[in-house]
Every structure is written in structure tokens, then in C-alpha cells.
């Protein structure tokens, strides 16, 4: 029985864990050009400035695709397979990969992305919002 | 106006070799790469001392590097390169070496892609592939490339209407080709459409025969001058055109196109040919959806038209359509060595040395590469058009 998800993180990834608040979305934002960054990094992807502040950003986004993963090389995930992984285009800019909380049809689905804790480790999750409006 | 890239005149590709692929090996990557070098020397008749340039690509060479191998193999080189652009490395290594030859920085460059494989090394490679992957993909349980590519595949299907059967046409025709290539690890097994569709699910739309099998092996070739090739009396190939792009279309939310379309027109015009003139095409087939992106980006069909193209085009080596991944590709041969498989297969086809999977009268070959899923997409695209030297 494995105890938790793999905790392999860079120093920047560890900071994401430190700034994460359950139910919120806290990402790096450039103090010069305001570009929101993800995955975590040390230099702004737009202007290469190095002053990136952890900020609460808007959680809304468009679901791009999701898939049900059947197999993982990691025992922790293998034990809880299958699970749903989604790619989301956030309104604030970046594309994030996140765990999808519920299955939904494809196409034009709005989601809300926030931090959550999975067995003591911080990950992103995406919750479908407007499914009742869709066929 | 500067012509980019500059022509590859005077450059000769010779001595394509393969160190047979195996599922697992006790040997190191150095053994596979060095064995490829030995095979090239034998094939070309060159002495080891004549090789004054080395280009190496490998995911499994660490903690060693290219310079470690110079010592290991008892070489003394004046030119050394380690090309790390994943499945684009074969084409990119060829381009770099060609410039070294043209500039006179080296006389003979050995370009080799090789890997070893044991069950632990693959887990290690995917677990520490990039910082972005460690921080944003791996903690989601998405170890390895299947998860990001399942999302790309799903989005491609939703956007273009491509079906599993369409992807299956690629995998099934490649298996047919592999059934005619003794070096293919899965070449002894047949695969039909029903077998493809019935395979176990791996991730979303991806099933077993959409995924490559990592393995051990090496492929390589020598890059030298036309003069040198003629002096050796060996058959040689010329590079009519070649190019690469990295991080193309970064603003696209999902990768539904690669960098190829940024340079494909120039490739054809520099070579003085068009897609219909290509006698055989080798794409980088880590997943069938990426093959479709290459058909589209390289001008064999319109953007989003990959599914219709494979419905209308016979892809087997002897079917008279567009012979594609003519030895079975990575999907049926196995995955090792970072995109050298397609370069070496193109060379064999043009040299008439492809034995049972020879494309009749192949005189013009295209090979493309793709690689490095740093986060949610492959960053590197490359392609080349090759012809038998005259
Ligand atoms: Zn900035």
C-alpha cells in the first residue's frame, strides 16, 4: 500500500504548495507585465522579469479536453484508477492540467479550477460549472 | 535576402546502421551507441581514426555524456555534439553535422541515437523528465507521456471528427510493414483493425496499439563530404532540404499543429519537389495523432484533414499510396534512440537496401521528427527531404 502521491517537486513547485489555499487559485503573476504563469517558474514567460508574486487569480476557465487514465507507473495512482485528468485554458492565461471532479460532455464546458489536497499533497482540480445548460 | 536555411550542397550521408532492438537489455546505452559506431566503420570501410566528429542522442546515457563516450570509444574528435531534442534528434543531428562538414570543421561525423532499457530506467526517465513535468503533470498521476497525449488526442477527435478507426489505419498499416522487417520487435505478430479496436484502454482514447514500446537499440549514420564518399566508393545520399522549429504556436491552447507548417513550403521549394513526389515518408509516431499532425503540417493534406487522408490513402510500403513508416515505425519496431529510426529507414529505402519491405523505385524520401513533451505538448519539430546522390 503506497502512502501518497509522488512528491517530486522543484523549489518553485514547493512554493506553489506553500501558497496554495484550499478552494482558491494562487499562481505566480509578473509584477511588471501582469502575466500569470503556470507551471511555476523563476522568470516571467513574457518579459523575463524575475519578480513573480503569488497572487489569487480568477478561477474560471474553458475545459479543453479530459481523459480517464487507466494506468499509472505510480502505485498510488494505480490503486485509485481510473481517474479523470483535464486540460483547462484559464481565463487569466495559462493552460493547466487538473483533476476533473466529475465527468461531463465534451465541448464548451466552463470549469472552476482550485487547489485541493490529495493525501497531503497539493494538486489542481477542475469542477464543471454549467453542465445543466448543455445538452 | 538571406535564404534560410542555406543549402546542404556537398554533404553526403552514408552507412546507415541499426543495432538490433531488444525489449530489455543488461547492456548500457554506451554499448548500443558504440556498437553502432563499430557497425558504421565496417559498413563504410573507414578506420576509427577517420571519425573526427561525434553526435550522440540518448535518454539513458546519464551519468555519462557525449564526451564520456569519446574517451570510452578511444576517439579523438575535433567536433562533438549531444543533441537532446527528443524524437527530433535524428533530423537535427543530421543538420548540425552537415554544417560541420560544409564548414570544414570535421571530415566524418558519426551521428548515433541509442538507448538501453530496463524496467526501472523508464520509470526514472518519466519521473524526472522536466521541471514543469515534475511540478505540474507528475503530481496529477500523469506519469509518462500517455496522459498529455490522451488530452491532445481527445481534443483532436472532438475538433476534427477523427475516430479510433482512423488512428487504427496508421497502426494497422505500420504493423503490416513491420511484418516484412525482421528487426521489428512486434513484427512477428499481425494486427488487424478488430485487434486494434479491441485492445485494452490505457488513457482516455488511447489504447494499447496507440502507444509505443520503449526498448533498447541504436541507429546511426555517417555524415561526410561527397568527395569523401566517392573516394570510399560507397553509395551516398544528399540532403535536398531540412529545417526545424522549437516551441512553435506556443499560444495554441492545445497542440493541434506542430512547427512543420512553418517551413514545409520552403522544404519543398528548396528541393524543387512537391508532396506528391515523395516516394516514402517516415514520421515520428509516438502516437497516431501526432502522425496526423505531420501529414497535415507537411502538406500531404489540409489542417484537420488527417483522418480523411488516412481513409483515402494506402499507407503500406507496397500499397501504391503513400508508403509510410515503412519498417513499422516505433509503434511496431519499438522506441529507442530519439528519432534516428526514420532517418536510417529513409536511407535504406533510397539505397535499395530495405530488403523485404523495400518501396519499389524509391528515389525521394521525407523524414520528420517530433519531440520533448516538456509540459503539455511536444516542443520540437523537424523534417528533411533526402535523395540518392548522383
Ligand atoms: Zn512579465
Amino acid at each position: 500500500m503506497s502512502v501518497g502521491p509522488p512528491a517530486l517537486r522543484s523549489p518553485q513547485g514547493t512554493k506553489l504548495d506553500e501558497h496554495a489555499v484550499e478552494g482558491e487559485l494562487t499562481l505566480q503573476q509578473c509584477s511588471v507585465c501582469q502575466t500569470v504563469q503556470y507551471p511555476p517558474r523563476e522568470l516571467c514567460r513574457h518579459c523575463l522579469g524575475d519578480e513573480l508574486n503569488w497572487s489569487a487569480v480568477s478561477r474560471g476557465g474553458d475545459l479543453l479536453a479530459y481523459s480517464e487514465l487507466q494506468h499509472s507507473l505510480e502505485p498510488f495512482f494505480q490503486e485509485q484508477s481510473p481517474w479523470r485528468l483535464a486540460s483547462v485554458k484559464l481565463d487569466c492565461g495559462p493552460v493547466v492540467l487538473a483533476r476533473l471532479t466529475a465527468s461531463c460532455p465534451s465541448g464548451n464546458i466552463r470549469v472552476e479550477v482550485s487547489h485541493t489536497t490529495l493525501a497531503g499533497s497539493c494538486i489542481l482540480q477542475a469542477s464543471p460549472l454549467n453542465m445543466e445548460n448543455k445538452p | 535576402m538571406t535564404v534560410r536555411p542555406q543549402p546542404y550542397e556537398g554533404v553526403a550521408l552514408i552507412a546507415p546502421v541499426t543495432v538490433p532492438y531488444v525489449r530489455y537489455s543488461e547492456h548500457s546505452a554506451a554499448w548500443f551507441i558504440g556498437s553502432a559506431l563499430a557497425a558504421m566503420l565496417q559498413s563504410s570501410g573507414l578506420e576509427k581514426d577517420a571519425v573526427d566528429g561525434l553526435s550522440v542522442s540518448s535518454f539513458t546515457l546519464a551519468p555519462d555524456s557525449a564526451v564520456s563516450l569519446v574517451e570510452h570509444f578511444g576517439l579523438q574528435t575535433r567536433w562533438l555534439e549531444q543533441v537532446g531534442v527528443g524524437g527530433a534528434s535524428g533530423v537535427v543531428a543530421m543538420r548540425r553535422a552537415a554544417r560541420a562538414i560544409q564548414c570544414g570543421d570535421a571530415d566524418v561525423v558519426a551521428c548515433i541515437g541509442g538507448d538501453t532499457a530496463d524496467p526501472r530506467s523508464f520509470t526514472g526517465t518519466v519521473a524526472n523528465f522536466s521541471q514543469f513535468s515534475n511540478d505540474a503533470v507528475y503530481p496529477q498521476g500523469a506519469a509518462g507521456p500517455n496522459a498529455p497525449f490522451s488530452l491532445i488526442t481527445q481534443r483532436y477527435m472532438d475538433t476534427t471528427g477523427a475516430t479510433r478507426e482512423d488512428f487504427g489505419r496508421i497502426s494497422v498499416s505500420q504493423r503490416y510493414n513491420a511484418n516484412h522487417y525482421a528487426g521489428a520487435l512486434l513484427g512477428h505478430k499481425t494486427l488487424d483493425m478488430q485487434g486494434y479496436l479491441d485492445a485494452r484502454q490505457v488513457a482516455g482514447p488511447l489504447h494499447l496499439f496507440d502507444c509505443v514500446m520503449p526498448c533498447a537499440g541504436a541507429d546511426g549514420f555517417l555524415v561526410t563530404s561527397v568527395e569523401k564518399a566517392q573516394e570510399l566508393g560507397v553509395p551516398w545520399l544528399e540532403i535536398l532540404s531540412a529545417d526545424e522549429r522549437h516551441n512553435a504556436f506556443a499560444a495554441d491552447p492545445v497542440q493541434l499543429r506542430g512547427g512543420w507548417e512553418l517551413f514545409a513550403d520552403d522544404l519543398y521549394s528548396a528541393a524543387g519537389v512537391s508532396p506528391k513526389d515523395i516516394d516514402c515518408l517516415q514520421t515520428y509516431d509516438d502516437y497516431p495523432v501526432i502522425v496526423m499532425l505531420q501529414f497535415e503540417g507537411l502538406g500531404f493534406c489540409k489542417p484537420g484533414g488527417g483522418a480523411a487522408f488516412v481513409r483515402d490513402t494506402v499507407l503500406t510500403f507496397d500499397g501504391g499510396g503513400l508508403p509510410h513508416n515503412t519498417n513499422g515505425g516505433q509503434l511496431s519496431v519499438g522506441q529507442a534512440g530519439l528519432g534516428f529510426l526514420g532517418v536510417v529507414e529513409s536511407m535504406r529505402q533510397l539505397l535499395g537496401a530495405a530488403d523485404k519491405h523495400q518501396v519499389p523505385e524509391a528515389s525521394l524520401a521525407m523524414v520528420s521528427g517530433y519531440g520533448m513533451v516538456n509540459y503539455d505538448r511536444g516542443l520540437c519539430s523537424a523534417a528533411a527531404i533526402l535523395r540518392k546522390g548522383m
Side-chain angles (χ1 to χ4, degrees):
Chain A
M1 182 72 187
S2 45
V3 291
L8 195 63
R9 293 285 208 283
S10 74
Q12 284 70 42
T14 308
K15 284 182 190 144
L16 175 95
D17 282 14
E18 289 166 11
H19 288 89
V21 176
E22 187 108 5
E24 301 275 308
L25 183 60
T26 307
L27 300 179
Q28 291 170 302
Q29 189 164 22
C30 177
S31 68
V32 176
C33 74
Q34 313 306 319
T35 303
V36 177
Q37 326 277 329
Y38 190 82
R41 66 197 69 198
E42 289 181 280
L43 295 177
C44 171
R45 67 191 163 97
H46 179 65
C47 74
L48 302 180
D50 72 348
E51 200 173 304
L52 304 179
N53 302 319
W54 292 94
S55 318
V57 297
S58 80
R59 297 195 291 275
D62 293 319
L63 180 66
L64 298 168
Y66 83 88
S67 67
E68 217 159 68
L69 304 187
Q70 311 288 332
H71 174 73
S72 176
L73 296 168
E74 286 293 340
F76 174 82
F77 288 103
Q78 191 59 48
E79 283 163 15
Q80 39 173 295
S81 69
W83 71 100
R84 289 175 293 265
L85 182 73
S87 55
V88 176
K89 171 69 175 165
L90 290 174
D91 299 340
C92 63
V95 172
V96 301
L97 300 189
R99 177 171 285 221
L100 190 66
T101 58
S103 68
C104 57
S106 66
N108 300 322
I109 298 293
R110 291 285 296 168
V111 297
E112 194 170 78
V113 175
S114 61
H115 301 287
T116 190
T117 305
L118 183 66
S121 182
C122 168
I123 64 161
L124 299 181
Q125 71 173 11
S127 307
L129 284 180
N130 55 346
M131 278 169 62
E132 62 278 7
N133 304 329
K134 297 289 160 188
Chain B
M1 201 181 88
T2 308
V3 178
R4 286 214 178 99
Q6 293 283 301
Y8 294 90
E9 283 160 352
V11 175
L13 308 179
I14 64 172
V17 303
T18 296
V19 180
Y21 285 26
V22 290
R23 182 70 184 92
Y24 296 115
S25 176
E26 296 291 307
H27 290 299
S28 65
W31 183 88
F32 283 95
I33 295 167
S35 298
L37 177 62
M40 287 176 198
L41 296 176
Q42 187 169 26
S43 163
S44 64
L46 283 166
E47 297 294 325
K48 194 176 76 174
D49 293 347
V51 175
D52 59 356
L54 178 67
S55 173
V56 170
S57 297
S58 177
F59 271 138
T60 51
L61 187 56
D64 286 348
S65 63
V67 70
S68 319
L69 297 183
V70 174
E71 181 183 51
H72 198 127
F73 303 155
L75 296 167
Q76 176 183 290
T77 68
R78 62 175 81 245
W79 189 92
L80 181 64
E81 182 105 70
Q82 187 156 357
V83 176
V85 288
S89 299
V91 173
V92 169
M94 179 186 81
R95 298 188 70 215
R96 302 280 185 278
R99 295 308 186 207
I101 298 301
Q102 284 183 308
C103 295
D105 290 345
D107 289 328
V108 178
V109 178
C111 296
I112 306 169
D115 277 306
T116 189
D118 73 55
R120 290 152 303 171
S121 80
F122 182 65
T123 307
T125 300
V126 298
N128 200 12
F129 193 77
S130 71
Q131 180 188 319
F132 283 1
S133 182
N134 289 351
D135 288 335
V137 185
Y138 205 69
Q140 296 283 351
N146 287 336
F149 283 102
S150 73
L151 297 171
I152 291 173
T153 301
Q154 188 61 55
R155 181 73 178 186
Y156 184 86
M157 295 169 81
D158 293 344
T159 307
T160 68
T163 64
R164 282 198 64 214
E165 284 88 340
D166 296 324
F167 297 126
R169 289 171 212 278
I170 292 169
S171 297
V172 168
S173 62
Q174 287 190 205
R175 182 61 62 84
Y176 172 86
N177 293 343
N179 295 147
H180 299 77
Y181 173 48
L185 286 186
L186 297 172
H188 61 291
K189 292 181 182 167
T190 59
L191 178 68
D192 62 12
M193 184 58 82
Q194 201 54 51
Y196 170 87
L197 293 172
D198 290 345
R200 84 174 158 82
Q201 188 179 11
V202 174
L206 300 180
H207 294 64
L208 186 62
F209 298 116
D210 296 308
C211 304
V212 294
M213 188 168 72
C215 64
D219 298 282
F221 52 90
L222 296 175
V223 184
T224 188
S225 63
V226 170
E227 282 172 353
K228 185 81 177 174
Q230 288 172 334
E231 182 188 308
L232 289 166
V234 296
W236 52 277
L237 307 172
E238 58 184 327
I239 305 167
L240 293 183
S241 56
D243 211 340
E244 67 191 74
R245 290 292 186 283
H246 307 283
N247 202 28
F249 303 120
D252 289 2
V254 181
Q255 184 168 50
L256 299 183
R257 55 183 173 169
W260 304 283
E261 71 178 64
L262 292 173
F263 58 78
D265 287 349
D266 291 341
L267 280 187
Y268 292 115
S269 70
V273 302
S274 70
K276 65 176 166 35
D277 300 317
I278 301 295
D279 295 313
C280 58
L281 170 68
Q282 318 297 326
T283 64
Y284 193 78
D285 55 333
D286 49 355
Y287 296 88
V289 68
I290 302 303
V291 171
M292 287 200 190
L293 297 191
Q294 286 163 89
F295 289 150
E296 295 168 16
L298 294 168
F300 291 93
C301 60
K302 291 190 169 65
F309 179 74
V310 301
R311 283 174 214 149
D312 295 343
T313 308
V314 179
L315 298 172
T316 53
F317 75 95
D318 58 357
L322 176 65
H324 170 252
N325 288 355
T326 45
N327 61 3
Q330 298 186 112
L331 287 168
S332 280
V333 178
Q335 183 182 48
L338 309 184
F340 280 67
L341 183 75
V343 178
V344 165
E345 172 64 9
S346 296
M347 292 178 69
R348 289 209 175 97
Q349 289 291 347
L350 295 178
L351 293 171
D355 200 24
K356 291 192 175 63
H357 62 285
Q358 179 69 48
V359 175
E361 294 172 44
S363 62
L364 199 62
M366 179 176 243
V367 53
S368 71
Y370 168 85
M372 295 309 274
V373 185
N374 195 57
Y375 171 41
D376 67 341
R377 66 193 66 193
L379 298 181
C380 312
S381 314
I385 300 175
L386 309 179
R387 185 173 64 186
K388 186 146 196 262
M390 321 179 235

